[in-house]
Amino acid sequence: MNAQAQLATAFDVERIRADFPLLKRTVHGKPLVYFDNANTSQKPVSVIEAVDRHYREHNANVARAVHQLGEEATAAYESARDGLARFINAGSRNDIVLTSGTTQSINLVAYSFALPRLKPGDVILTTVMEHHANIVPWQLVAARSGATVKAAPIDQHGELILEEFIKLLTPDVKLACVAHVSNVLGTVNPVREIARECKKRGIPLLVDGSQAVPHRPVDVQALGCDFYAITGHKMLGPTGTGALWAKREHLQAMPPFFGGGEMIREVSFSGTTFAEPPHKFEAGTPNIAGFAGLSAAMDYYQSIGFDAIRAWEDRLLSYATERLRDIPGLRIIGEAKDKEPVISFLIDGAQATDLATLLDLEGVAVRSGHHCAHPLMQFYGVPATLRASLAFYNTREEIDAFITALLKVRKLLL
Ligand code: PLP
């Protein structure tokens, strides 16, 4: 048995599931099968308790109070920054801006980094497989500046055509923006190679890491990108938490995006001076309790380890793919060689939304729709797909229950 197989065999999924209270519930009288993890993950009890404990024992505002509770709240908030810096191997905790999630992180780069630099004729290069959060902010700043947004193509397997992406890295490209992992296809993009090619041409690269950090260890310095955006709620943490990592030189050069309390050094009507990064990007009261929960989420990942998580998830992905392939008329959308456990599919003659609605009655939670990726749906010529997205707390038995339910609802619809 190789090391990967040993890890998967030793993986005590039942012990892990015991940490996730919600997984014990029933839906429409059936045991829940939660396969909508790419949308948001479930939370372990340690995360729920960290949020609860914060409000019961430490609640106060950050940085504004000299009293004990204010210091405790500030320590909780700032220790999430330390945790995130370790989690994605940032060179310094000061290179981590705490945000409400990937959407805010990307908008911060769009308005604070890109917009002041863009001029008519410039190009922002992205890919066909992006989430709207990595398309629409670029379109908004392009519309204001006269720049355009171009999308690099993918092939039918759902892999980025790297040569085409490289060809599109022309001198008018001022920023490139790619997903580390696609939320629809599960495709893992070759971010290191992309970063190398961008660097050769002096083009800054933003990576949307929303779907990568829940599944694999990420080292932003080794990746070689300029910006890395993440969201907390997909990695066991509370909603409304996230981060932007950026190279120091960019954070230094970027003007503040939001103005308000906490991001200033001195305010007067003759002129305001700003705090150093990252604080100059963190105006207003943040989601302090949420960040206390996010620290607990990262501790939880640490306690299991990504080697074990990956071994288990790879096994789940192979098994689910194999079982789905046996269903007549089922087409998997996205068959990249390097893939995270996200499976989009269609069944001939059945609407994705009808299937998802009927699956819900069987206790199976999957997502149907465009998954905030209209251009990708247009590429495949479909309005929607069904998507089963797995996490390390899922099991083979749940995959069996999902397949049984799918066969049942398919029969009802065909
Ligand atoms: N990018 C990707 C790839 C996603 O999957 C998502 C969420 O589904 C987002 C960005 C947006 O994340 P959030 O809504 O947490 O800001």
Side-chain angles (χ1 to χ4, degrees), residues 38-39 100-104 106 130-134 179 181-183 208-211 231-234 241 367 371-372 387:
N39 208 354
S100 62
T102 297
T103 302
Q104 191 190 334
I106 295 180
E130 301 306 315
H131 187 281
H132 294 162
N134 202 19
V181 173
S182 157
N183 64 309
D208 173 354
S210 312
Q211 299 289 348
T231 205
H233 68 95
K234 296 182 199 290
T241 61
R367 186 164 173 196
H371 315 292
C372 298
R387 181 186 69 185

Side-chain angles (χ1 to χ4, degrees), residues 68-89:
Q68 179 65 25
L69 291 182
E71 279 179 22
E72 288 171 15
T74 305
Y77 179 66
E78 290 300 330
S79 82
R81 197 186 314 277
D82 293 321
L84 281 159
R86 282 192 299 275
F87 200 67
I88 58 172
N89 195 31

